[in-house]
Amino acid sequence: MAPWHRTAAFIWSTLAFLLYLGYTSAAGPEHAVNYFNNAPARLFFFDDTTSVIYHDAIFGDIHVSQDEGKNWKRADDIPPGEAAMFIEHPFNNRVAFVLTNSYTHYRTDDRGKSWRTFNVPELISYVPKPLSFHSDPQKQEYTLFQGTQCDKIPWGEQCRDVTYYTKDGFASPPQILLEDVSRCQFAHSSKDFKHDADEDLIYCVAFDSSATTGSHNLASSRLYSSTDFFATKQNEDLGIGKNAKGVVAFAIVSKFAVVALKDLTPGSDGDMLLYVTVNTKEWAKAQFPQSSQARLRENAYTIVESTIHSLAVDVVLHDMITVGTLFVSNSNGTYFVESLKDTNRNMMGYVDYETIYGVEGVGIANVVANAQDVERKMSTKQLRSVITFNDGSSWDPLVAPSGTCSSKPCSLHLHSVTDMHNYGPIFSSPAPGFVMGVGSVGKVLAPYAESNTYMSTDAGLTWSMVHEGPFQYEFGDSGSVIVVVDDEQPTDSILYSTDMGQNWNTYNVGIQFRARGLTTVSDSTSQKFLLLGQVMRQSQEPDKGHNAVIYLDFAALDRPKCGSSDKEQWYAIANSKTACIMGAKQWYTRRKANANCYVGEKFHDPEVHDDKCPCEEHDFECDYNYVRSDGKCVPSGPERIPSTQCTLGTPGEKYMGSSGYRKIPGNKCEGGSRLDEPVSKDCSGAAPAEGAVVHQVHPFPSNVVQSEYFRSSKTILIRLADLTVWQSSNEGYTWEQKFPEERFVAIYMHTHSNERAYLITNSQKFYHTTDTGRHWLSSDAPSPPNTFGAQVLRFQPRTEYLIWIGNVGCQPESRYENCHAQAQYTWNNGQNWRLVEDYVVNCDWARDEELRIDSSQILCESYANKQGSQVFFGKENALQLVSGTDYYAKKSKLFDHVAGFTKFSEFLIVAEYLPNRGTLDLQVSLDGRTFALGNYPPGMHPDSHAYTILESSTKSIFLHVTMSESPPWGNILKSNSNGTYFGLSLENVNRDNGGFVDFEKFAGLDGIAMANIVANPAEAALTGHKTVQTKITHNDGGTWQSLVPPSVDSLGMKYLCTSVNCALHVHGFTERFDARSTYSSPSVVGVVMAVGNVGESLATYTESDTFLSRNGGFTWEEVHKDAHLWEFGDSGSIIVIVNDEEPTDHVLFTTDEGLTWREFKFTTEKIRVKDIMTVPEDTSRKFILLGDYPATRDSVIVHLDFSSLTHKKCIVDVDDPGHDDFELWSPSEERDSLCLFGRQTLYHRRKRDVNCVVGDTPKALDNIVQNCTCTREDFECEFNYVRNGDNECVLVPGRKPRPSDDSCRNGEDYWYDRTAYQKVLVSTCEGGDRIDQGTRHLCPGINGHSAIFWMMVILFPFAITALVTWWWYSKSGMARGQDDPFTRSEYSHGSGSGVMATLASVPWFLLGLSGIAFEYVASSLESVSMGYRTRRGYRDVPVDEDAQVLRFEDEE
């Protein structure tokens, strides 16, 4: 080619290149600006369309754009100012509704182009969702409408919500569905909630009765369902029968339907309960870890964004701070585990937690790093961000961008849901893997204004900073365009990137604005964006609104459409610890970062692909009838097998049974570990035929020294004398040794959490579980467990808070010179510890379940001189009681010298030692700060006697004061309600040398107790031989009687003892192997068992027989000869007894409460049984015998399973109790009086002769039929009075009666002189013979005046007004017919408003008087309502007339 040709070609190519560069550099986005008067209440894109709705709620207008926001037009079919609410149809992207404040509303079927009217009978109800839609494409016109119906009443309107339905989208008038509702919803109203229920199934939360005032009782709120639009309705009992009331909310969340109801059962403190279904048929209670930290309270929990695999619920831990704990459920939403502690939330209930869109298992949350300081000092929250890649199983910090950390710990932290600055999801969008956020790098999150903008392109694995400062952000065209805008300063520009944030371009939109929102179509597949801004003053134009919608179109960049070579496969969380979620690896196709092209798949959601993973253990859960123990699924009992198997009866016959595992529903794994494949099992181990009993015998190498059941669980722990611990998760059916390499010295069960336990080793290591032993974790204590006899662990209602008392300086090499006990506390279950006190004897939390005082208060008994070895300390080193609030940071000494302290119910009791006299004083407190000295009958002050505090379940303290040390016995004293005055209840009560007393109250029946007395105290003091008799009280210790003996024994023979001195006497507390064994069971009210004899006194144990009472001890029957141990099972439907006088090979059991007995032989080698155990609630048909072989003394445990005795389930009708397999029983039935404790109460229990399984059958609530008039049984002796031989209360010689209480502090009308009697606290009797009230006196104050007095008070101002009016009338000239306008006008102005001002003083005076009366009534009502509130602190504890002793009035 010639040189000039080459030159020309070069010039032309250069020009073409420059032209191309100029063209491409000039190419940029297009924009258009539209102005509105007000910011939008809703800015809504119809799904997969270009249509947008702008709802101006202030002006009540709807604006519509059909081109993604470039051009806008007001919806002319809707009159101006009418649009109150905009609601889209979630399953039809053409339909939407505009609701008004009238009876006429509007509907569009063409995405807002046109609107048609429809009418409804009622005004809309102002609830978040007044319309509910059907998800079936064939029934999308089915709609529910919630309106408010009001009726005129004399003093206003009475309103209630009513739901209507339409099957044609309101083309015809809607029909009424149900009245008195709070919410109705189609069961088919979610694409994720898949089930085969009737297509017309509707759920409604509604009231079953209305009050005349228009308000409702929460107890009447229930969940109803109907499949015929409530022509008939069904009460959804949620599997709990009549107790399914107090329904607060119903919602469909992901694949779950959830009902929240308030627990209205007595003593529940109004906790919230969740019931969940995945199929509309079976409802199950959501089980949270049993700790007070996991209690659901109204307005204190949030169901957060959940996956299709599990529900996520955030629960508030404390009343005053916005810190929660995140719990995640199993696949059917019923069992929750703690996922994340100290989550951040705000007062509105929003939680800093969001799942990453389209990437299963990934979520980002914020936690409060200084939660303890926030609680203790109300400090400002310090937030940290964490991320999970496995649905909340574990959490990790966000990895900071490379090179940004200058110190440790250091990670990335992001502002989240509680600090929203834009529309839609906080972090992610449908663009696969793209995540953005505003935050900071460091130890904790910086304020928003000091934060920067970060992005991740791999779903949160790695991050990079894309711009300094906080920016709003949005993704478009599946991530090929990213737009950000300054979120703190006014601006006229936006920034955009087309290469995943590597480079950024600036685009000027021509006006100054403050960004208020940045959005695009819902699936982020468009190249067009909408930017909302508030126009700054310099850019405002006349006649244009101050709110701008800026339309941005990046299609104008003229990039080519991406081809296959421009795309890549992107695997979600491919580099994380867990690549597989629910058995599959997810991957998407997305554009490469450096590809200069647009994706162009508008309105096409990113398609997720699954690569199946090999199955692993985490893909399986426990099968039915199996429970998880230490990570393995073990059987909870023998397995039921098909009727076609195990039919030959040949030895060694096998069947194919469950492996114990099943694949989690929805899991996609294939191959790999097939844990769910059936396994071959021996037929001998299968569940037996109906009527048979199963047993297993387990020998152990050493004696059982401790056994503990988890409450509300089938798991039991035992500790042997050889320091090993064994666990059974199936009520003793199988056993496994825990940590064989360790030596355990104690097992502690958490006293406030059913699921927590602690295994204490002989070193600093301890093991703990938070899920009833399914998993155990090891932790290190600050010191080895103490050897000074102090309890090693102390617990409080906040389950993570523990106190540890251990040995310090007690190593042999230190020669024990400074050996002492040291207390430390932890706020996170042993992860961190802080010192409480040295040289302690006992430290404990002051707060308890009923002692509602400062939860940070710690009480410690510690020695005054903290030097030397504690081993050698004596009384010369004073043992002080110190109280420390703020976790012992602020200490105050309560007592200089004490012998000990304890907590009973709402009482804190301290034994103060008086060294000058060498005696004791009992001090009682209800608030942990102020104490009152007890007052005692003469000669019974505990200063010179040993004493035992028995119990205080009926708001009184029962105290045993020892009157004789050898042999030991004493008197039982009973206190008033604040523990300050003690009166004699029963004399000469038997005690043993260990301090245990023969006194026991019956479970489930307050006020009934049995005690054994020494009938020959004078003789016993000389001979040492005690003659023991049994007494019973049915009025909480007010009076005691002998037990009425049965007329014949179990063989039908008359007893030899026939004199009037004959009675039934039973062996008590002092003779039991296990102190936890009781006469009665809370699961079967009124049924009591005991071992004893009929005679004039108690015989030896081996000469005794077994007795039973079905009516709370009023009458008794002998059910079997010889002494036996007993245990109740399945709420009393089965009772098992075993001979413990000698070795045995069998047990006896009854299903009719002792009418008939059957024998079951469990061994060929006899064992000596020491105890029978079952679950603490006595609701199981499985029992455990603890014993040993007489020859070798080796321990043996026998598991007995009576589950197959019958498969018949008890039938219960909670709406008509007493006409099914249960009876209504009253403890007063066998008495002359129908009343007990001042009331007639009916209890619900199984009929004696019905052989059926109670199980978890719901029972009717105990029903108080009526309160009774007071009789002598409702009273006990006042302080300083005792009963004489005629059973009358008389003054103790030399003592004075207490002065009468005339304070009238509770708003009484009258006060009374004291008498020799006081009313038993547990009694609710009314009226009758009030022998506790002497002469009546009027109370001072508003109630202490006569009717004449109040008539004068009311009429006096009228009289004065009449005189003033007459005077003004006579002086004004009106009486004389004068007509001087000037004079009257001047006078009128001078006086204010003339006669009307004077007359107006009368009604205002009366209003003032009525205000005083109202204040009195309100205070009275408040005092009445106290009993229905959650008790918080000592101030709400019921206070009797002696409350001034605790100086309540001095506190405020």
Side-chain angles (χ1 to χ4, degrees):
M1 183 182 288
W4 69 271
H5 286 295
R6 288 196 295 270
T7 302
F10 175 76
I11 291 172
W12 281 111
S13 62
T14 302
L15 285 173
F17 180 72
L18 291 174
L19 284 170
Y20 173 75
L21 280 181
Y23 173 77
T24 54
S25 63
E30 294 179 352
H31 80 279
V33 182
N34 290 273
Y35 296 91
F36 295 86
N37 291 306
N38 302 296
R42 286 287 307 275
L43 185 67
F44 171 74
F45 281 87
F46 283 92
D47 192 36
D48 291 345
T49 73
T50 60
S51 301
V52 196
I53 296 291
Y54 187 111
H55 179 204
D56 180 348
I58 296 177
F59 279 11
D61 289 332
I62 294 289
H63 302 271
V64 185
S65 172
Q66 301 295 341
D67 52 10
E68 297 185 62
K70 185 175 183 179
N71 299 287
W72 293 87
K73 179 186 177 185
R74 200 187 75 79
D76 294 331
D77 295 333
I78 304 175
E82 287 288 299
M85 186 181 296
F86 172 84
I87 298 177
E88 72 278 7
H89 196 304
F91 309 110
N92 188 336
N93 66 356
R94 301 185 62 85
V95 179
F97 298 84
V98 168
L99 304 182
T100 71
N101 290 321
S102 68
Y103 299 95
T104 301
H105 308 284
Y106 299 87
R107 168 187 170 130
T108 180
D109 292 285
D110 51 16
R111 306 186 185 108
K113 294 178 183 176
S114 62
W115 298 83
R116 295 180 293 125
T117 63
F118 65 93
N119 293 309
V120 294
E122 309 293 348
L123 298 176
I124 63 168
S125 175
Y126 284 99
V127 294
K129 296 179 179 179
L131 297 182
S132 176
F133 303 92
H134 204 295
S135 60
D136 187 343
Q138 305 300 319
K139 297 194 173 188
Q140 288 181 355
E141 296 298 312
Y142 282 37
T143 309
L144 304 180
F145 170 86
Q146 187 167 332
T148 299
Q149 187 180 80
C150 294
D151 300 321
K152 295 288 185 181
I153 54 177
W155 52 89
E157 287 186 331
Q158 177 177 306
C159 299
R160 60 186 179 276
D161 277 9
V162 181
T163 296
Y164 292 82
Y165 72 93
T166 176
K167 296 182 180 181
D168 53 17
F170 299 101
S172 60
Q175 304 298 308
I176 191 164
L177 181 78
L178 190 62
E179 294 184 344
D180 239 2
V181 302
S182 54
R183 174 163 173 73
C184 288
Q185 186 172 357
F186 287 105
H188 295 271
S189 60
S190 167
K191 293 179 180 177
D192 293 326
F193 185 43
K194 299 173 182 176
H195 50 84
D196 57 0
D198 189 286
E199 292 182 351
D200 293 335
L201 177 62
I202 298 174
Y203 287 111
C204 283
V205 178
F207 296 92
D208 62 5
S209 62
S210 295
T212 56
T213 59
S215 61
H216 296 93
N217 183 351
L218 181 61
S220 67
S221 178
R222 300 179 181 274
L223 180 68
Y224 296 100
S225 64
S226 176
T227 57
D228 54 11
F229 295 92
F230 282 88
T232 61
K233 70 177 181 180
Q234 175 183 341
N235 177 21
E236 291 286 336
D237 66 7
L238 308 179
I240 57 175
K242 200 173 185 177
N243 292 331
K245 57 186 178 181
V247 175
V248 175
F250 169 82
I252 293 177
V253 183
S254 185
K255 70 171 184 179
F256 310 96
V258 184
V259 175
L261 60 114
K262 199 164 189 174
D263 188 357
L264 300 178
T265 56
S268 68
D269 283 345
D271 290 348
M272 301 298 293
L273 306 174
L274 293 185
Y275 283 82
V276 182
T277 183
V278 292
N279 58 13
T280 73
K281 295 180 177 63
E282 292 92 19
W283 292 87
K285 181 182 176 182
Q287 301 286 347
F288 285 82
Q290 291 297 316
S291 64
S292 59
Q293 286 184 278
R295 286 171 50 196
L296 299 184
R297 288 163 291 179
E298 196 166 6
N299 301 322
Y301 70 96
T302 304
I303 299 178
V304 298
E305 191 177 8
S306 302
T307 69
I308 61 171
H309 312 307
S310 60
L311 268 177
V313 179
D314 190 81
V315 182
V316 174
L317 301 190
H318 312 298
D319 293 332
M320 298 181 62
I321 62 174
T322 49
V323 178
T325 295
L326 183 68
F327 294 89
V328 178
S329 77
N330 60 351
S331 64
N332 59 10
T334 53
Y335 287 93
F336 284 78
V337 295
E338 185 179 292
S339 173
L340 185 63
K341 283 180 58 64
D342 299 333
T343 51
N344 183 51
R345 51 188 291 139
N346 63 14
M347 300 299 289
M348 301 288 292
Y350 292 106
V351 182
D352 277 351
Y353 171 77
E354 182 179 281
T355 59
I356 301 304
Y357 185 96
V359 184
E360 290 188 1
V362 183
I364 297 176
N366 281 347
V367 296
V368 182
N370 63 331
Q372 192 179 25
D373 290 335
V374 172
E375 177 201 350
R376 291 168 56 188
K377 308 172 184 176
M378 301 303 291
S379 303
T380 302
K381 290 181 182 178
Q382 297 180 359
L383 304 184
R384 291 177 182 163
S385 295
V386 289
I387 189 169
T388 178
F389 296 103
N390 51 16
D391 254 346
S393 295
S394 61
W395 296 83
D396 299 294
L398 295 179
V399 177
S402 177
T404 57
C405 280
S406 57
S407 62
K408 291 185 178 181
C410 174
S411 58
L412 175 63
H413 314 286
L414 301 175
H415 291 270
S416 185
V417 177
T418 59
D419 193 17
M420 292 182 66
H421 284 253
N422 200 3
Y423 295 96
I426 303 299
F427 303 121
S428 61
S429 80
F434 288 90
V435 188
M436 291 187 74
V438 172
S440 62
V441 171
K443 292 183 178 180
V444 295
L445 179 63
Y448 190 83
E450 302 172 15
S451 298
N452 302 315
T453 306
Y454 297 86
M455 186 172 76
S456 170
T457 60
D458 50 16
L461 269 176
T462 60
W463 295 80
S464 61
M465 189 177 79
V466 295
H467 210 284
E468 290 188 355
F471 279 69
Q472 292 186 22
Y473 43 84
E474 187 57 274
F475 305 91
D477 191 40
S478 302
S480 80
V481 182
I482 304 171
V483 179
V484 300
V485 61
D486 196 315
D487 195 24
E488 281 295 301
Q489 303 296 329
T491 184
D492 59 3
S493 304
I494 57 98
L495 299 173
Y496 68 93
S497 172
T498 58
D499 56 5
M500 295 189 181
Q502 297 178 19
N503 298 285
W504 293 88
N505 304 301
T506 303
Y507 179 73
N508 192 300
V509 299
I511 61 170
Q512 284 280 334
F513 64 93
R514 282 290 299 267
R516 293 293 182 243
L518 177 61
T519 186
T520 183
V521 296
S522 57
D523 57 9
S524 295
T525 56
S526 173
Q527 297 189 74
K528 300 172 178 63
F529 296 75
L530 286 185
L531 172 60
L532 277 72
Q534 182 180 352
V535 182
M536 305 309 295
R537 181 171 298 177
Q538 59 267 38
S539 295
Q540 293 175 3
E541 298 182 26
D543 302 325
K544 288 188 176 180
H546 298 166
N547 292 275
V549 173
I550 304 168
Y551 163 85
L552 301 168
D553 184 3
F554 290 88
L557 295 179
D558 281 341
R559 297 175 296 166
K561 195 175 191 303
C562 295
S564 58
S565 61
D566 297 313
K567 299 179 180 179
E568 63 180 357
Q569 284 186 2
W570 175 75
Y571 276 86
I573 60 173
N575 299 319
S576 72
K577 300 175 185 176
T578 309
C580 297
I581 292 291
M582 289 297 285
K585 293 181 182 178
Q586 288 181 294
W587 61 272
Y588 292 88
T589 299
R590 71 179 188 184
R591 199 201 66 163
K592 296 177 180 177
N594 58 359
N596 185 27
C597 60
Y598 74 96
V599 176
E601 297 177 357
K602 197 169 183 178
F603 306 133
H604 178 75
D605 291 341
E607 187 176 348
V608 61
H609 304 271
D610 289 325
D611 287 349
K612 303 291 192 298
C613 296
C615 293
E616 299 181 23
E617 186 174 351
H618 59 76
D619 295 312
F620 298 89
E621 61 187 9
C622 289
D623 200 357
Y624 173 74
N625 209 33
Y626 283 77
V627 293
R628 192 169 290 277
S629 174
D630 204 23
K632 304 294 183 183
C633 292
V634 299
S636 58
E639 183 178 12
R640 293 232 180 128
I641 58 174
S643 58
T644 57
Q645 300 192 46
C646 295
T647 58
L648 301 178
T650 57
E653 188 178 1
K654 305 277 188 179
Y655 74 100
M656 298 303 292
S658 171
S659 65
Y661 295 87
R662 67 172 180 177
K663 190 190 290 188
I664 297 172
N667 192 288
K668 301 170 184 174
C669 73
E670 294 179 351
S673 176
R674 295 303 306 273
L675 297 183
D676 57 345
E677 288 187 339
V679 297
S680 177
K681 299 181 178 181
D682 289 329
C683 289
S684 59
E690 186 169 5
V693 180
V694 173
H695 76 284
Q696 295 279 348
V697 178
H698 302 278
F700 286 90
S702 183
N703 287 331
V704 177
V705 294
Q706 188 179 2
S707 59
E708 304 285 352
Y709 257 108
F710 287 92
R711 295 189 300 276
S712 302
S713 168
K714 299 177 180 179
T715 302
I716 182 175
L717 301 169
I718 61 170
R719 183 169 61 88
L720 306 185
D722 62 6
L723 304 185
T724 60
V725 165
W726 298 73
Q727 174 179 324
S728 172
S729 299
N730 45 26
E731 301 179 70
Y733 183 66
T734 58
W735 293 87
E736 62 172 338
Q737 186 179 354
K738 308 303 295 183
F739 315 109
E741 70 281 3
E742 302 287 0
R743 291 293 172 262
F744 296 98
V745 295
I747 300 173
Y748 282 95
M749 311 302 289
H750 201 297
T751 52
H752 301 283
S753 169
N754 294 355
E755 300 192 330
R756 294 180 181 238
Y758 299 80
L759 308 180
I760 311 301
T761 72
N762 56 2
S763 66
Q764 287 182 233
K765 181 186 285 188
F766 69 94
Y767 293 83
H768 59 92
T769 178
T770 59
D771 55 8
T772 62
R774 289 192 287 271
H775 303 90
W776 291 89
L777 300 172
S778 65
S779 295
D780 287 328
S783 56
N786 75 85
T787 54
F788 292 93
Q791 187 169 316
V792 177
L793 280 175
R794 291 289 189 175
F795 308 100
Q796 68 144 297
R798 292 179 303 165
T799 53
E800 298 283 302
Y801 286 72
L802 312 171
I803 293 176
W804 176 280
I805 301 180
N807 277 350
V808 174
C810 300
Q811 299 81 4
E813 58 270 18
S814 67
R815 298 182 181 180
Y816 305 100
E817 292 179 356
N818 291 299
C819 177
H820 64 277
Q822 181 189 78
Q824 298 208 30
Y825 87 94
T826 175
W827 59 95
N828 50 20
N829 209 33
Q831 297 179 41
N832 304 95
W833 297 89
R834 285 183 184 169
L835 176 66
V836 175
E837 186 65 280
D838 284 304
Y839 289 89
V840 300
V841 169
N842 181 22
C843 285
D844 198 357
W845 300 102
R847 188 178 178 91
D848 215 332
E849 290 287 3
E850 295 187 57
L851 190 62
R852 302 290 184 87
I853 54 181
D854 186 354
S855 59
S856 73
Q857 184 178 354
I858 298 174
L859 299 170
C860 276
E861 298 173 53
S862 64
Y863 287 103
N865 181 11
K866 301 182 187 301
Q867 293 180 342
S869 175
Q870 186 174 333
V871 177
F872 305 109
F873 286 176
K875 288 185 179 180
E876 69 282 354
N877 193 352
L879 192 58
Q880 301 174 332
L881 181 63
V882 178
S883 168
T885 57
D886 195 8
Y887 305 99
Y888 221 68
K890 302 171 184 176
K891 295 189 285 187
S892 61
K893 185 168 62 176
L894 298 179
F895 295 97
D896 291 319
H897 210 153
V898 297
F901 74 91
T902 187
K903 295 178 294 183
F904 269 87
S905 296
E906 67 268 40
F907 301 103
L908 174 63
I909 304 170
V910 177
E912 182 184 16
Y913 179 69
L914 306 175
N916 295 335
R917 297 185 305 187
T919 61
L920 296 177
D921 263 341
L922 278 191
Q923 301 270 3
V924 181
S925 174
L926 297 177
D927 65 357
R929 301 189 307 274
T930 54
F931 288 81
L933 189 64
N935 292 272
Y936 304 90
M940 298 181 199
H941 196 287
D943 57 1
S944 56
H945 303 280
Y947 65 92
T948 301
I949 298 169
L950 300 174
E951 67 95 66
S952 58
S953 64
T954 50
K955 312 305 178 188
S956 298
I957 300 172
F958 279 83
L959 178 71
H960 182 275
V961 177
T962 299
M963 308 302 292
S964 168
E965 291 288 353
S966 180
W969 71 78
N971 297 341
I972 289 181
L973 310 182
K974 180 191 173 187
S975 78
N976 60 350
S977 68
N978 55 33
T980 53
Y981 284 92
F982 287 82
L984 179 63
S985 176
L986 185 63
E987 292 184 290
N988 304 329
V989 179
N990 188 42
R991 199 206 84 178
D992 66 8
N993 292 321
F996 290 106
V997 180
D998 275 347
F999 171 88
E1000 183 181 321
K1001 288 203 169 184
F1002 289 175
L1005 291 173
D1006 287 341
I1008 302 182
M1010 283 201 305
N1012 282 347
I1013 65 167
V1014 178
N1016 61 334
E1019 178 186 337
L1022 300 174
T1023 64
H1025 173 72
K1026 294 187 282 191
T1027 299
V1028 175
Q1029 296 176 344
T1030 301
K1031 302 292 182 180
I1032 190 168
T1033 177
H1034 289 95
N1035 60 354
D1036 207 35
T1039 56
W1040 295 81
Q1041 302 86 27
S1042 298
L1043 297 184
V1044 179
S1047 56
V1048 294
D1049 64 10
S1050 56
L1051 303 178
M1053 306 294 291
K1054 286 188 176 294
Y1055 289 100
L1056 297 178
C1057 183
T1058 57
S1059 70
V1060 293
N1061 293 326
C1062 287
L1064 174 64
H1065 309 284
V1066 299
H1067 293 268
F1069 204 79
T1070 57
E1071 299 179 68
R1072 291 180 189 155
F1073 170 76
D1074 187 346
R1076 294 169 296 186
S1077 300
T1078 57
Y1079 291 126
S1080 56
S1081 166
S1083 69
V1084 49
V1085 180
V1087 177
V1088 187
M1089 290 194 72
V1091 170
N1093 64 283
V1094 173
E1096 295 186 2
S1097 63
L1098 182 63
T1100 62
Y1101 190 81
T1102 55
E1103 296 174 331
S1104 299
D1105 302 309
T1106 305
F1107 292 84
L1108 180 143
S1109 171
R1110 298 192 72 250
N1111 49 29
F1114 285 106
T1115 61
W1116 294 80
E1117 57 190 283
E1118 183 186 297
V1119 292
H1120 211 281
K1121 289 294 184 184
D1122 298 328
H1124 291 80
L1125 295 174
W1126 67 88
E1127 186 60 87
F1128 301 93
D1130 190 34
S1131 301
S1133 74
I1134 183 168
I1135 302 173
V1136 176
I1137 64 174
V1138 63
N1139 190 323
D1140 67 333
E1141 298 179 10
E1142 57 188 8
T1144 185
D1145 58 3
H1146 67 274
V1147 296
L1148 298 167
F1149 63 93
T1150 177
T1151 58
D1152 51 20
E1153 295 175 7
L1155 292 178
T1156 59
W1157 294 90
R1158 293 164 58 186
E1159 178 182 307
F1160 175 72
K1161 186 175 181 179
F1162 57 82
T1163 182
T1164 56
E1165 184 179 357
K1166 291 186 177 184
I1167 65 172
R1168 182 67 187 262
V1169 178
K1170 296 180 179 179
D1171 198 10
I1172 311 180
M1173 296 178 63
T1174 185
V1175 296
E1177 300 78 21
D1178 294 345
T1179 54
S1180 172
R1181 288 195 154 217
K1182 299 174 183 177
F1183 300 81
I1184 293 174
L1185 304 183
L1186 296 181
D1188 53 52
Y1189 292 110
T1192 62
R1193 309 302 298 174
D1194 289 339
S1195 285
V1196 61
I1197 287 180
V1198 180
H1199 166 85
L1200 300 173
D1201 184 357
F1202 296 89
S1203 301
S1204 294
L1205 273 181
T1206 179
H1207 294 159
K1208 179 193 173 188
K1209 190 82 170 174
C1210 293
I1211 299 172
V1212 62
D1213 184 354
V1214 294
D1215 295 318
D1216 187 19
H1219 296 86
D1220 45 27
D1221 289 337
F1222 291 81
E1223 65 181 359
L1224 288 173
W1225 168 79
S1226 170
S1228 60
E1229 285 178 354
E1230 289 79 9
R1231 307 171 65 227
D1232 294 336
S1233 169
L1234 291 177
C1235 301
L1236 188 63
F1237 326 129
R1239 57 190 176 272
Q1240 187 178 5
T1241 308
L1242 297 179
Y1243 296 90
H1244 201 218
R1245 67 182 187 186
R1246 186 194 63 112
K1247 292 177 181 176
R1248 186 173 194 177
D1249 56 353
V1250 176
N1251 184 18
C1252 61
V1253 179
V1254 177
D1256 55 0
T1257 301
K1259 301 176 186 175
L1261 296 177
D1262 300 337
N1263 179 34
I1264 298 178
V1265 177
Q1266 61 183 2
N1267 283 335
C1268 305
T1269 55
C1270 296
T1271 65
R1272 297 187 73 86
E1273 287 187 347
D1274 294 303
F1275 300 94
E1276 59 191 359
C1277 292
E1278 246 289 4
F1279 181 69
N1280 282 339
Y1281 287 81
V1282 294
R1283 291 193 182 271
N1284 61 12
D1286 296 326
N1287 204 27
E1288 294 179 344
C1289 294
V1290 296
L1291 188 66
V1292 176
R1295 309 296 289 188
K1296 293 181 179 180
R1298 291 172 58 204
S1300 299
D1301 177 21
D1302 59 357
S1303 64
C1304 301
R1305 72 171 55 80
N1306 294 320
E1308 302 94 338
D1309 293 336
Y1310 304 95
W1311 62 273
Y1312 297 86
D1313 289 334
R1314 291 192 197 273
T1315 70
Y1317 298 88
Q1318 63 181 1
K1319 188 177 172 185
V1320 176
L1321 279 173
V1322 76
S1323 174
T1324 59
C1325 72
E1326 301 169 344
D1329 184 13
R1330 293 301 302 266
I1331 58 176
D1332 62 325
Q1333 295 178 349
T1335 305
R1336 188 175 77 170
H1337 306 274
L1338 266 174
C1339 283
I1342 190 169
N1343 298 305
H1345 296 286
S1346 67
I1348 295 176
F1349 170 84
W1350 286 114
M1351 186 179 299
M1352 292 299 298
V1353 168
I1354 293 171
L1355 292 179
F1356 180 75
F1358 283 101
I1360 294 297
T1361 301
L1363 288 173
V1364 171
T1365 305
W1366 176 82
W1367 176 85
W1368 182 87
Y1369 178 76
S1370 62
K1371 291 290 184 182
S1372 66
M1374 292 179 67
R1376 295 183 298 273
Q1378 297 177 356
D1379 187 11
D1380 185 349
F1382 179 79
T1383 306
R1384 286 204 308 276
S1385 175
E1386 185 178 58
Y1387 185 83
S1388 176
H1389 283 283
S1391 65
S1393 58
V1395 68
M1396 286 307 298
T1398 310
L1399 292 178
S1401 69
V1402 175
W1404 278 115
F1405 171 80
L1406 289 178
L1407 281 175
L1409 183 65
S1410 66
I1412 297 171
F1414 175 80
E1415 184 177 352
Y1416 162 72
V1417 172
S1419 64
S1420 301
L1421 289 174
E1422 184 178 3
S1423 66
V1424 169
S1425 66
M1426 293 286 271
Y1428 299 98
R1429 297 180 180 173
T1430 303
R1431 291 190 293 145
R1432 300 189 183 282
Y1434 72 87
R1435 220 175 288 272
D1436 291 350
V1437 174
V1439 179
D1440 73 358
E1441 66 276 7
D1442 311 307
Q1444 72 272 17
V1445 178
L1446 293 183
R1447 299 183 291 279
F1448 284 173
E1449 294 89 350
D1450 299 336
E1451 311 255 356
E1452 188 54 55

